[in-house]
Amino acid sequence: MNKIFILFILSFAVPDFLFVYGQSNTDLMPLNTPNNTSTSNLFENAILQYASGVRFKDVLPVAIGILAFSYFIWKTSSILSKREVFPHKLRYTASGIPQSLIKSRIFYAVKYIVIFPIIMYGWVVVCFFFMYALNTSLSYDILTLIMVGIITASRIAAHWNEKLAEDIMKFLPFNLLFTLLLNPNLNSEKIIDSIPGFLPIMLELTIFIGFIGLLEVIMKVTYFLVGKIRHHSDDSLPIEPT
């Protein structure tokens, strides 16, 4: 058992130690080996099988990647799934006077014209490159269709049902992540070779974000008009005496 423990420690201290040890042990093994092995041999065979298969150093980067992507989706889904990404706040000047309505509307428009498209663009780009790094066999068009489709569906649902929008932003990327993990195609050389082709894709994603921003304006105007109509119809109803 002490020998097994020493082999296990050396596997972390010396790279490919178990692999070299396994090869040397295989070369010295006699041809007629009995099937009934001792407990020590069973542990040694388990360590040798670990050395030739998936190791913990292979699992650790995958775990860190899943954790980082999950945290990113978890934080952004609660923001991008809201109808009002930037809630209205009553601002005051240095003298304590409420800010004018015109300035408040200007700040509101700037947030949705400048900041909001940047947030959406960042979400699409991060998800796009993470999914491509996980499975390089996927085409750019398929990834663009999926990522832009998810963010568009979520923004439409946010003006109808924010809970549904959050589920779209959260569960669809997670389902796609674990689907790709079942059939990964990691190729670092292909990723490096594809870097020059990423610039046209990023410009194409900018065009899609522009269309999503236009759709956002249409949805907000529609939501405002519907709310006005409902408010006017409620005010026109007669008040029944109690």
Side-chain angles (χ1 to χ4, degrees), residues 13-34:
V14 182
D16 298 330
F17 171 78
L18 290 179
F19 181 74
V20 175
Y21 176 79
Q23 284 187 332
S24 61
N25 219 23
T26 305
D27 295 337
L28 297 175
M29 188 178 296
L31 294 177
N32 296 325
T33 304

Side-chain angles (χ1 to χ4, degrees), residues 128-191:
F128 181 94
F129 288 115
F130 186 87
M131 295 300 176
Y132 180 76
L134 189 62
N135 195 326
T136 53
S137 63
L138 293 175
S139 65
Y140 292 159
D141 292 338
I142 295 297
L143 286 173
T144 301
L145 178 66
I146 294 173
M147 296 301 117
V148 176
I150 290 175
I151 190 70
T152 304
S154 177
R155 291 312 305 160
I156 295 174
H159 292 79
W160 169 38
N161 189 322
E162 291 185 348
K163 180 62 177 176
L164 175 61
E166 185 175 1
D167 290 343
I168 293 173
M169 287 289 296
K170 188 180 295 183
F171 294 122
L172 285 182
F174 281 151
N175 289 337
L176 181 60
L177 169 65
F178 289 110
T179 300
L180 294 179
L181 283 175
L182 293 176
N183 186 24
N185 187 8
L186 303 175
N187 192 338
S188 58
E189 295 182 359
K190 187 175 180 180
I191 295 174

Side-chain angles (χ1 to χ4, degrees), residues 1-175:
M1 185 63 67
N2 293 332
K3 179 181 178 182
I4 297 171
F5 180 75
I6 293 172
L7 289 174
F8 187 75
I9 296 299
L10 287 176
S11 67
F12 288 94
V14 182
D16 298 330
F17 171 78
L18 290 179
F19 181 74
V20 175
Y21 176 79
Q23 284 187 332
S24 61
N25 219 23
T26 305
D27 295 337
L28 297 175
M29 188 178 296
L31 294 177
N32 296 325
T33 304
N35 294 329
N36 297 326
T37 58
S38 62
T39 305
S40 178
N41 289 335
L42 287 175
F43 278 105
E44 288 187 14
N45 291 335
I47 293 176
L48 295 177
Q49 186 176 359
Y50 165 80
S52 60
V54 178
R55 305 183 189 181
F56 186 74
K57 67 178 183 180
D58 302 322
V59 176
L60 193 59
V62 176
I64 294 175
I66 293 175
L67 177 62
F69 184 74
S70 300
Y71 180 80
F72 174 78
I73 294 298
W74 174 62
K75 293 297 290 186
T76 56
S77 62
S78 60
I79 298 174
L80 293 175
S81 61
K82 294 180 179 178
R83 180 177 58 83
E84 292 294 339
V85 178
F86 306 103
H88 295 283
K89 293 182 180 179
L90 186 59
R91 299 180 180 274
Y92 295 89
T93 61
S95 59
I97 301 174
Q99 196 175 58
S100 64
L101 184 60
I102 297 176
K103 287 185 178 180
S104 299
R105 289 179 177 177
I106 291 175
F107 279 119
Y108 182 81
V110 168
K111 288 178 181 178
Y112 275 96
I113 294 174
V114 179
I115 301 177
F116 183 60
I118 294 176
I119 296 175
M120 287 195 300
Y121 183 77
W123 187 91
V124 172
V125 169
V126 170
C127 292
F128 181 94
F129 288 115
F130 186 87
M131 295 300 176
Y132 180 76
L134 189 62
N135 195 326
T136 53
S137 63
L138 293 175
S139 65
Y140 292 159
D141 292 338
I142 295 297
L143 286 173
T144 301
L145 178 66
I146 294 173
M147 296 301 117
V148 176
I150 290 175
I151 190 70
T152 304
S154 177
R155 291 312 305 160
I156 295 174
H159 292 79
W160 169 38
N161 189 322
E162 291 185 348
K163 180 62 177 176
L164 175 61
E166 185 175 1
D167 290 343
I168 293 173
M169 287 289 296
K170 188 180 295 183
F171 294 122
L172 285 182
F174 281 151
N175 289 337

Side-chain angles (χ1 to χ4, degrees), residues 210-226:
F211 281 111
I212 297 175
L214 180 61
L215 179 63
E216 183 78 17
V217 172
I218 296 173
M219 295 294 297
K220 287 195 175 300
V221 171
T222 304
Y223 185 86
F224 175 78
L225 293 177
V226 171

